[in-house]
Amino acid sequence: MSTVVNWNGVELPDELRGVPKGRYLLVPVDDVPALTSEQEAGLEVALASVRGGGGVSRAEARERVDAALRR
């Protein structure tokens, strides 16, 4: 789940009112850092793998992410 929030720095944004209770990490999307050459190359390799049938299902990807977050 992702929610884009436009915040004026003072008032609670309406976008947050429907978000379920829990812990969240807010990251500004306006200041996205550039990828390193290694990151760019890694993404190219990953895309080629997925295009070649080497991907995993959405469910498997979700399980891997959930497991990593529990560590």
Side-chain angles (χ1 to χ4, degrees), residues 1 4 9 11 13 16 20 26 33-34 37 39 44 46-47 50 52-53 58 60-61 65-69:
M1 177 192 101
V4 176
E11 300 166 300
L16 289 179
L26 298 176
S37 57
Q39 291 168 324
E44 291 294 336
L47 285 171
V50 168
R58 181 193 176 284
E60 174 65 21
V65 169
D66 288 345
L69 292 175

Side-chain angles (χ1 to χ4, degrees), residues 2-69:
S2 61
T3 301
V4 176
V5 176
N6 293 304
W7 188 38
N8 65 11
V10 178
E11 300 166 300
L12 180 66
D14 288 337
E15 296 91 347
L16 289 179
R17 296 188 192 282
V19 175
K21 179 181 175 181
R23 295 176 61 204
Y24 293 88
L25 171 65
L26 298 176
V27 180
V29 295
D30 296 331
D31 300 323
V32 178
L35 294 175
T36 65
S37 57
E38 292 84 12
Q39 291 168 324
E40 186 79 34
L43 286 173
E44 291 294 336
V45 169
L47 285 171
S49 174
V50 168
R51 288 180 184 129
V56 298
S57 70
R58 181 193 176 284
E60 174 65 21
R62 182 79 253 168
E63 288 176 16
R64 291 181 187 188
V65 169
D66 288 345
L69 292 175

